[in-house]
Amino acid sequence: MLYINGEWCESNSGENIEVYNPATGELVGLAAKGGELEAERAIQAASEAYLSWKKTTAKEHYMYIKRAADLLRERTDEIASIITKEMGKPLSEAKGEMNLAIDYLDWYAEEGKRIYGDTIPASAPNKRIVILRQPIGVVGAITPWNFPIAMLTRKIAPALAAGCTVVLKAASATPLTAIEVFKAFHDAGLPKGVINLVNGSAQEIVGTMMASPKVRKITFTGSTEVGKELIRQSANTMKKVSMELGGHAPFIIFEDADLEKAVEGAILSKFRNAGQTCVCTNRIYVQKSIEKQFASLMAEKVKDLVVGNGMQSGVSVGPMIDKKAMEKAQEHIDDAFQKGATVLCGGTQLNEEEYVNGNFFAPTILCNVTHKMKISYEETFGPVAPIFTFETEEEAIQLANNTEYGLASYMYTKDGSRMFRVGEALEYGIVGINDSLPTVAQAPFGGIKESGVGREGGKYGIEDYLEYKFLSFDLE
């Protein structure tokens, strides 16, 4: 189904998106496949609804967002199951994502009450200067498949709290989760046209968003390549943009680190969601003196990870999203192996009987990795962990920063001074220090360099949905 102007509807063409479970290959469900016509209707509905929604009080925004959050909280188990069946992550991870998604709604329901303006001393006794912060207008939101609900609420919540209206295109691999979120807002009584859901052709829907002067902001989570193209297109109508793009996260372990904790952190960061996260570890840098000890301990624990259908109890690593994703992971492993890397564990797709219908890949560790290998500079987006070594703190910083990406980074050390030295030197928007899961609703999430522009989360995340207006009064 599509959700336009407060009503559920089918696409004009009558076509549907078929959603398959990446663990079993089974059809999970159908979602209406919209295009240019539906996108235009949604934009028009959002534009008309904006005229009244922007005047709605912060208290009313709060009430609608909180109602939707409460409904999602009540439906956590049901929606978590849909997430797992659509994109494969273990059910426990899906429930964790549900909690984060609700956290964003809870946070921004409150944050909307704190959109303050200013008064500024004037340059003449007969003048007064007032600064207002007002909603930017209609927002076009484009969300990914790997976090089908958390990325959605992270965009919708601040937009609504700021007084904006939204047209959202969810990933075609995971449209069913998006539908459930819109059901919650519908049941919460949100006015017609304030949020609109158009799943379907990315070229048609996003192209219509980019061309429309009524859409004043684009928020996108996805690849750097696509993000750059959207930024280029946004120039035609001077849209405001926020882009959360690709990453190539370094994970640095110094010789003074708590080794057990560092191994646990590396595994959690690397193999969560089968390595399909923009902030997951891509390069593990281990100080030379502890390389063998670290690699041995990590391999021992990785071999104990249970790969399987995320709906089954005890599964810690689910399937990859599709065959193409598995092929890329295999390509990176083969390239590394041909150039001298050693496969410590894993290294192949899983084809045994219980895996035959799904997209399963063995959690993999590579040693003797060099920076001439593809995996050292291309984002794998899969369960493959390459281990590099370094000698000094300065070398670790240089190696970690030697990339066009700058989203997330991690380091493990007990040295308090080093925590600040290295934390300040790493060229990343997020630095986890002895913390492999730093993302929370109240903190700014986003990257620098080619990992994006803007921030999502916390008080910072609402800024991109607001404009400043300067009122100058002559009192004479």
Side-chain angles (χ1 to χ4, degrees):
M1 294 182 289
L2 308 176
Y3 187 72
I4 300 175
N5 201 29
E7 296 181 354
W8 296 102
C9 55
E10 299 297 328
S11 65
N12 187 60
S13 67
E15 294 183 60
N16 289 307
I17 300 168
E18 296 180 339
V19 182
Y20 291 93
N21 187 331
T24 65
E26 297 172 342
L27 182 67
V28 177
L30 302 174
K33 184 178 181 180
E36 182 179 352
L37 178 63
E38 290 81 5
E40 288 176 348
R41 285 172 49 208
I43 291 169
Q44 182 61 31
S47 181
E48 292 174 1
Y50 175 66
L51 298 177
S52 57
W53 182 249
K54 67 179 179 179
K55 299 176 183 178
T56 306
T57 66
K59 183 177 181 180
E60 289 175 280
H61 294 164
Y62 163 87
M63 291 172 63
Y64 286 119
I65 298 170
K66 280 294 290 181
R67 282 181 201 150
D70 290 340
L71 288 169
L72 289 175
R73 195 173 282 111
E74 292 171 8
R75 301 169 185 176
T76 289
D77 290 347
E78 175 189 349
I79 300 175
S81 295
I82 293 172
I83 293 172
T84 295
K85 291 173 183 176
E86 272 197 307
M87 64 78 50
K89 67 177 61 177
L91 190 58
S92 60
E93 288 186 21
K95 290 180 179 179
E97 185 187 344
M98 281 292 302
N99 292 336
L100 180 59
I102 294 165
D103 283 348
Y104 282 117
L105 292 171
D106 286 340
W107 182 271
Y108 282 108
E110 297 286 353
E111 195 62 44
K113 301 175 184 178
R114 296 185 283 271
I115 300 174
Y116 304 135
D118 294 292
T119 58
I120 299 175
S123 300
N126 61 304
K127 288 195 172 185
R128 301 291 184 271
I129 297 173
V130 176
I131 309 301
L132 303 179
R133 297 169 76 202
Q134 296 181 317
I136 193 167
V138 177
V139 173
I142 307 156
T143 56
W145 54 263
N146 57 337
F147 288 92
I149 191 165
M151 299 302 96
L152 192 155
T153 62
R154 194 161 78 185
K155 296 179 187 304
I156 285 182
L160 296 184
C164 299
T165 55
V166 178
V167 176
L168 184 132
K169 187 219 170 288
S172 291
T174 54
L176 305 181
T177 302
I179 290 171
E180 294 303 315
V181 176
F182 277 71
K183 284 181 181 178
F185 275 104
H186 179 82
D187 293 345
L190 195 69
K192 291 183 177 182
V194 173
I195 59 170
N196 303 270
L197 174 65
V198 188
N199 294 317
S201 167
Q203 183 175 0
E204 291 186 33
I205 296 167
V206 178
T208 303
M209 288 181 182
M210 300 309 299
S212 174
K214 293 177 181 177
V215 177
R216 298 308 312 140
K217 173 184 165 61
I218 291 291
T219 173
F220 169 75
T221 297
S223 72
T224 295
E225 180 184 9
V226 174
K228 288 180 178 180
E229 178 57 31
L230 294 179
I231 291 172
R232 282 189 284 267
Q233 293 179 21
S234 72
N236 293 329
T237 51
M238 291 301 290
K239 300 185 196 305
K240 196 171 187 179
V241 298
S242 56
M243 299 277 155
E244 194 260 287
L245 308 177
H248 208 275
F251 194 106
I252 306 169
I253 302 104
F254 291 97
E255 60 188 359
D256 68 333
D258 181 325
L259 206 58
E260 286 276 353
K261 188 175 180 180
V263 168
E264 290 174 5
I267 290 173
L268 189 57
S269 173
K270 175 70 263 184
F271 299 108
R272 181 171 65 107
N273 211 17
Q276 300 171 118
T277 82
C278 53
V279 295
C280 79
T281 295
N282 282 270
R283 295 167 289 150
I284 299 177
Y285 290 106
V286 184
Q287 201 151 18
K288 187 69 175 177
S289 60
I290 60 169
E291 175 200 6
K292 291 183 180 179
Q293 186 181 359
F294 175 88
S296 176
L297 183 57
M298 186 172 180
E300 179 184 327
K301 291 185 178 295
V302 167
K303 289 175 183 176
D304 289 336
L305 295 176
V306 178
V307 181
N309 186 332
M311 294 299 294
Q312 296 174 348
S313 177
V315 167
S316 46
V317 180
M320 299 186 72
I321 190 65
D322 55 28
K323 301 296 183 187
K324 186 177 180 181
M326 289 202 297
E327 289 169 1
K328 184 177 182 181
Q330 191 68 61
E331 177 191 346
H332 280 190
I333 293 169
D334 293 346
D335 173 77
F337 181 75
Q338 291 166 10
K339 293 175 181 176
T342 302
V343 179
L344 200 57
C345 63
T348 61
Q349 300 174 33
L350 296 175
N351 298 311
E352 291 89 342
E353 185 177 350
E354 67 267 36
Y355 302 122
V356 70
N357 294 319
N359 305 320
F360 294 100
F361 205 100
T364 301
I365 300 176
L366 302 177
C367 292
N368 302 316
V369 185
T370 72
H371 290 87
K372 293 182 180 179
M373 300 170 185
K374 285 183 179 181
I375 202 165
S376 72
Y377 54 85
E378 288 185 5
E379 188 176 20
T380 306
F381 228 64
V384 186
I387 297 177
F388 302 78
T389 61
F390 67 92
E391 296 281 0
T392 66
E393 180 180 304
E394 292 74 19
E395 183 187 9
I397 293 169
Q398 187 274 323
L399 291 171
N401 288 341
N402 187 28
T403 174
E404 67 268 28
Y405 297 107
L407 184 53
S409 58
Y410 309 89
M411 68 165 164
Y412 276 68
T413 179
K414 293 179 182 177
D415 186 328
S417 296
R418 174 178 282 153
M419 292 178 190
F420 280 95
R421 282 197 309 271
V422 178
E424 292 173 1
L426 289 172
E427 297 170 351
Y428 293 84
I430 303 165
V431 182
I433 302 170
N434 299 325
D435 181 6
S436 64
L437 291 175
T439 304
V440 289
Q442 62 267 35
F445 187 102
I448 60 175
K449 298 193 284 189
E450 294 192 18
S451 284
V453 291
R455 292 294 183 271
E456 295 180 324
K459 67 178 184 179
Y460 316 91
I462 206 165
E463 293 291 335
D464 278 342
Y465 297 90
L466 296 166
E467 295 280 26
Y468 286 88
K469 180 177 287 185
F470 160 33
L471 305 182
S472 180
F473 297 85
D474 187 334
L475 304 182
E476 290 186 355

